[in-house]
Amino acid sequence: MKKILILLTLLIVSQSVSAQLFSREKIKNIENFDKKRLSWGFYLGLNSYDYQFNYERDLKEILVETNLGFSVGLVSNLRLNNHLDLRFEPGLFITTRNIQYDPSYFNGIESTDSDLLREVKSTYVHFPLLLKVSTKRLNNFKPFVIGGFSMALNLSSNEENPDDNAAGQFRTKKNVLFYELGIGIDFYNQWFKFTPSIRGVFALNDELIRDEDPDSPWTSNIRTMKTRGVFLNFTFQ
């Protein structure tokens, strides 16, 4: 995933530089597309979610194994002026994270290998409201930066499950707030606009549901647990 993100970033940067160096005017595809007050589209993508932990005591770090997830959603775009757009991009994001505990968390407690590992499956219904800031269109492409805030409902959170880690259930909160930052580039084809983009998302609230036992080896040392994620989206409008 990281290699894909690096390659896409280099592509965006190289395209912008090339446009400035070789700015000879070309025939513009769908020249009036961005003059619409409202436009619509959809996106497909990949995601990679992580957790950032803050600890109560100086123990070994909890490790998170990330996996590639899948994303799909819709785009509604409100044109504010030639360089600003307000975007609403609701989507469904599916991912899995594996949390690995060090055996030192269970000193003096009888444990098995399964106690050291927790699989956290997440299905987010994502509601971002974003401001897109674009450069001047350069022939048939236009770089931009994008950022804003979002709310997500984690349908796999287990928040209301009465069982906790003592019964093998790792629980997280259902509602998560994020801020988002990203870059991308609009490519204008003959019939539609294609947009690859990279975005980082960072949770604002603690997501951990703590175990009933205040000395639980799974949750007692965690002060906060917040999601971090990287999205690679391909948008069609």
Side-chain angles (χ1 to χ4, degrees):
M1 183 65 176
K2 291 180 180 178
K3 291 181 179 179
I4 295 174
L5 298 178
I6 292 171
L7 287 173
L8 186 55
T9 302
L10 291 175
L11 173 63
I12 293 170
V13 172
S14 65
Q15 290 285 357
S16 299
V17 172
S18 297
Q20 295 177 24
L21 293 178
F22 307 103
S23 56
R24 183 169 56 87
E25 190 71 18
K26 297 180 180 179
I27 297 175
K28 290 184 177 180
N29 296 324
I30 49 175
E31 187 170 359
N32 295 320
F33 185 93
D34 290 337
K35 295 180 181 179
K36 299 177 183 177
R37 184 69 170 171
L38 287 170
S39 59
W40 314 92
F42 69 94
Y43 62 88
L44 303 171
L46 301 172
N47 63 67
S48 179
Y49 282 92
D50 193 2
Y51 282 123
Q52 180 182 33
F53 291 98
N54 289 316
Y55 301 99
E56 297 287 354
R57 304 183 304 278
D58 188 19
L59 299 178
K60 290 190 176 181
E61 290 188 359
I62 300 171
L63 303 179
V64 182
E65 179 189 349
T66 61
N67 296 281
L68 278 182
F70 177 72
S71 314
V72 60
L74 301 174
V75 174
S76 58
N77 188 93
L78 174 65
R79 178 181 179 272
L80 302 179
N81 58 40
N82 289 337
H83 301 288
L84 296 176
D85 296 271
L86 188 65
R87 295 170 72 90
F88 181 54
E89 301 184 355
L92 182 68
F93 293 70
I94 301 171
T95 190
T96 301
R97 285 161 280 192
N98 294 317
I99 297 178
Q100 181 71 51
Y101 288 86
D102 188 88
S104 61
Y105 278 74
F106 296 85
N107 284 343
I109 302 174
E110 185 177 347
S111 62
T112 64
D113 289 343
S114 62
D115 291 325
L116 304 179
L117 181 66
R118 286 291 181 264
E119 184 182 56
V120 184
K121 294 183 178 181
S122 300
T123 302
Y124 293 106
V125 182
H126 202 67
F127 301 100
L129 186 62
L130 307 166
L131 184 66
K132 177 182 176 184
V133 183
S134 305
T135 68
K136 181 180 178 181
R137 177 170 170 173
L138 306 167
N139 292 321
N140 284 315
F141 60 91
K142 182 167 66 174
F144 64 86
V145 296
I146 192 167
F149 295 91
S150 58
M151 183 189 74
L153 299 178
N154 185 358
L155 304 181
S156 306
S157 68
N158 280 330
E159 181 174 0
E160 299 176 1
N161 192 331
D163 295 329
D164 60 17
N165 279 289
Q169 296 296 321
F170 190 91
R171 300 176 298 175
T172 59
K173 295 178 181 176
K174 180 178 291 186
N175 297 313
V176 189
L177 298 176
F178 296 95
Y179 70 90
E180 308 189 12
L181 293 170
I183 59 173
I185 185 167
D186 291 327
F187 289 98
Y188 297 82
N189 297 301
Q190 188 173 0
W191 304 108
F192 63 92
K193 183 167 69 173
F194 170 66
T195 305
S197 64
I198 305 170
R199 193 178 308 163
V201 295
F202 308 90
L204 295 170
N205 60 304
D206 178 26
E207 299 170 56
L208 181 67
I209 300 292
R210 284 157 181 81
D211 295 339
E212 291 188 14
D213 180 4
D215 297 319
S216 166
W218 293 280
T219 62
S220 63
N221 192 42
I222 299 175
R223 181 178 301 166
T224 61
M225 183 186 78
K226 298 180 180 181
T227 287
R228 301 178 296 187
V230 177
F231 299 163
L232 176 59
N233 288 343
F234 301 97
T235 303
F236 301 84
Q237 289 179 266

